Amino acid sequence: MTPSAMTATQAGEFRAAGTDLSERRRSGVSTGPLIDISAAPDTIGMHWGTEGSLRIGAFTTIAAIAADARLAAAYPGIAASAQGLATPQIRHLATLGGNLAQRSRCWYFRNPHIACLKKGGSDCPARSGNHLYHVAFDLGPCVAPHPSTMAAALLAYEAKVTTDRRSSLTIGDLLGDGSNGSADNALQPGEMIKSIELPVPLQGEHALYKRAISRTHAEWPLVEICARAVIKDGAFQFVRLAAGGIASVPLRLVAAEAALQGKPANVAAIAVAAERATSGAKPLPMTGYKLDLLKGLVQDLLERLAGNQATGS
């Protein structure tokens, strides 16, 4: 679920925990040389700013993020996303940087005998083939959804990424806009993620995470949402909704956010926002069901956030 190959280079692939890279090596999808990397003091752990911001080292494990009480209090959507990811065994090995830069989970990509755009092929076989678990927002030539749960959560929190070459990258800068079907991210050859910076939480904000899956345990999400909100005087003062599993990159549901800005935190306003969550969708012949899942998750999370604010929990 969360490999530690932080990006591929033309000469080889980086390996830290290698939770996904090992699988790709066994199957024959990845065959090039390996570059083993290890954590340095500035690439691991959680470092709090005096004003309440947080920098998380890219080598920090998903389990450490999920278990940190201070992080959960300040950034509950990040903690909940980490807690819902993969299995306990994977979370204890997998790194945040690896989760952000992992490779596609598409079954055509994972088959070493099938060419696809991400392996130097000329087209995306999923587009005309079996794409049941693929995108509902068709952004470019590749129709595999981006596999990073943490990327969607960090997008909701407007996080910034630092690499060994660049700083203050947004999640969009890091992963691109989906128009390049040959790449899983926009990292340069040999570029390595070092840390992720989270801004100071907003006063009075609450956040939740939820995913829709096709079976109970250790399943990749069909759709997942990280939702943040500040509700004051019975109205939405701030809303962020970020979705994974629906496009080749994580998406902000900006139409749904705009529909709630300044509106009452009630069922009617939330229902309108849930409908607008699918604005701009272009489902494939087999993925229209994801739009129903998306609307349902948005409505459920927003109603829970409104209920939490009303009860003060």
Side-chain angles (χ1 to χ4, degrees):
M1 173 80 72
T2 49
S4 299
M6 293 190 179
T7 181
T9 73
Q10 294 174 343
E13 288 185 279
F14 292 134
R15 177 174 63 183
T19 54
D20 179 62
L21 179 60
S22 297
E23 177 188 325
R24 288 187 279 110
R25 301 288 289 188
R26 287 194 299 270
S27 69
V29 172
S30 293
T31 57
L34 298 176
I35 304 170
D36 286 310
I37 53 177
S38 57
D42 62 340
T43 64
I44 193 166
M46 297 175 216
H47 309 273
W48 292 89
T50 55
E51 77 287 9
S53 63
L54 174 62
R55 177 170 59 85
I56 308 175
F59 276 81
T60 307
T61 66
I62 301 300
I65 294 169
D68 190 277
R70 184 176 179 183
L71 184 149
Y75 307 100
I78 299 290
S81 297
Q83 290 165 3
L85 190 156
T87 64
Q89 295 89 340
I90 294 292
R91 291 194 292 271
H92 276 83
L93 290 173
T95 63
L96 178 56
N99 185 266
L100 290 176
Q102 65 185 295
R103 304 304 309 275
S104 172
R105 302 301 306 188
C106 174
W107 39 56
Y108 293 101
F109 172 77
R110 294 283 163 162
N111 188 324
H113 306 296
I114 297 177
C116 78
L117 290 168
K118 285 183 168 54
K119 294 185 290 185
S122 59
D123 63 5
C124 174
R127 185 175 288 278
S128 58
N130 186 342
H131 50 253
L132 181 64
Y133 292 169
H134 287 58
V135 303
F137 288 70
D138 191 355
L139 303 180
C142 174
V143 297
H146 197 276
S148 175
T149 288
M150 298 310 297
L154 293 171
L155 178 64
Y157 279 89
E158 301 175 66
K160 297 295 178 65
V161 179
T162 295
T163 74
D164 57 353
R165 301 179 188 179
R166 296 178 287 170
S167 61
S168 297
L169 300 176
T170 66
I171 295 300
D173 294 332
L174 179 71
L175 300 181
D177 61 3
S179 62
N180 182 359
S182 65
D184 292 296
N185 55 62
L187 289 168
Q188 300 165 0
E191 186 176 16
M192 185 187 304
I193 299 171
K194 293 184 66 177
S195 64
I196 292 85
E197 292 83 31
L198 290 163
V200 178
L202 299 175
Q203 184 176 7
E205 77 165 272
H206 288 69
L208 294 168
Y209 166 81
K210 190 173 183 178
R211 57 173 48 192
I213 56 178
S214 60
R215 61 183 180 182
T216 305
H217 299 294
E219 182 63 289
W220 295 89
L222 301 170
V223 180
E224 57 187 341
I225 301 285
C226 182
R228 301 170 61 204
V230 175
I231 300 173
K232 186 177 180 180
D233 299 326
F236 285 98
Q237 302 299 317
F238 173 90
V239 183
R240 287 292 181 271
L241 299 166
I246 59 171
S248 51
V249 293
L251 292 182
R252 278 266 306 276
L253 305 176
V254 292
E257 294 173 356
L260 285 176
Q261 189 65 40
K263 296 297 192 298
N266 59 32
V267 172
I270 289 170
V272 171
E275 286 295 326
R276 294 186 184 176
T278 62
S279 296
K282 296 179 181 178
L284 304 174
M286 300 171 69
T287 62
Y289 72 95
K290 286 197 171 187
L291 301 183
D292 292 330
L293 294 176
L294 178 63
K295 289 187 287 187
L297 286 179
V298 169
Q299 182 153 349
D300 178 55
L301 289 182
L302 289 173
E303 288 182 354
R304 288 168 55 194
L305 286 170
N308 289 347
Q309 294 285 81
T311 60
S313 60

